[in-house]
Amino acid sequence: MSTQETNFKLVGFLLADLARHPVRVLLFLSLLVSAGAVILSAHHNRQASIALERLMQKKDLLDVQWRNLILEQSALTEHNRIENLVSKQLDMRRPQAEEEVVVRIK
């Protein structure tokens, strides 16, 4: 026997065996598809977890920046600071009772 005849007989034998047991072939193929789906699902789950972690880190950073901005805003809007800036830079002062003028609108 030559190797070509042996190969042909082997392929014929495999095809005949596959044709005799179609349920086993379908089960094996479904097993492969299921394994691929599990791998793909695990990959997508890991990618989503990584993205969630990045978003959580970004949220924490933004929260810290927000707190710093709130502190800065409260420091900049203190009445004592504003009064000092107005009196020093703009040379403004509170009017005395005699200097007040009341404007009436009809």
Side-chain angles (χ1 to χ4, degrees):
M1 268 195 211
S2 69
T3 58
Q4 287 181 344
E5 281 184 31
T6 307
N7 287 341
F8 182 71
K9 285 184 180 180
L10 180 61
V11 170
F13 178 72
L14 288 174
L15 290 176
D17 194 39
L18 290 176
R20 267 192 304 229
H21 306 288
V23 174
R24 288 183 183 174
V25 172
L26 288 176
L27 286 174
F28 179 72
L29 291 176
S30 65
L31 175 79
L32 291 178
V33 170
S34 175
V38 167
I39 291 169
L40 188 63
S41 173
H43 174 71
H44 286 303
N45 189 20
R46 285 188 195 110
Q47 294 298 321
S49 297
I50 290 169
L52 177 67
E53 186 65 32
R54 285 183 186 150
L55 288 174
M56 295 292 280
Q57 288 174 351
K58 189 173 182 179
K59 177 192 166 285
D60 291 341
L61 180 65
L62 289 173
D63 281 342
V64 169
Q65 288 177 349
W66 175 253
R67 281 188 227 119
N68 289 337
L69 287 173
I70 293 295
L71 288 173
E72 184 179 353
Q73 180 185 20
S74 65
L76 291 175
T77 57
E78 285 182 0
H79 292 293
N80 294 337
R81 181 182 178 277
I82 293 174
E83 285 182 13
N84 288 336
L85 286 175
V86 164
S87 65
K88 289 179 183 175
Q89 291 181 357
L90 301 176
D91 196 30
M92 295 177 78
R93 60 179 173 74
R94 284 201 177 271
Q96 300 297 325
E98 306 86 37
E99 297 173 339
E100 289 183 10
V101 176
V102 178
V103 179
R104 294 181 188 238
I105 300 177
K106 291 184 177 183

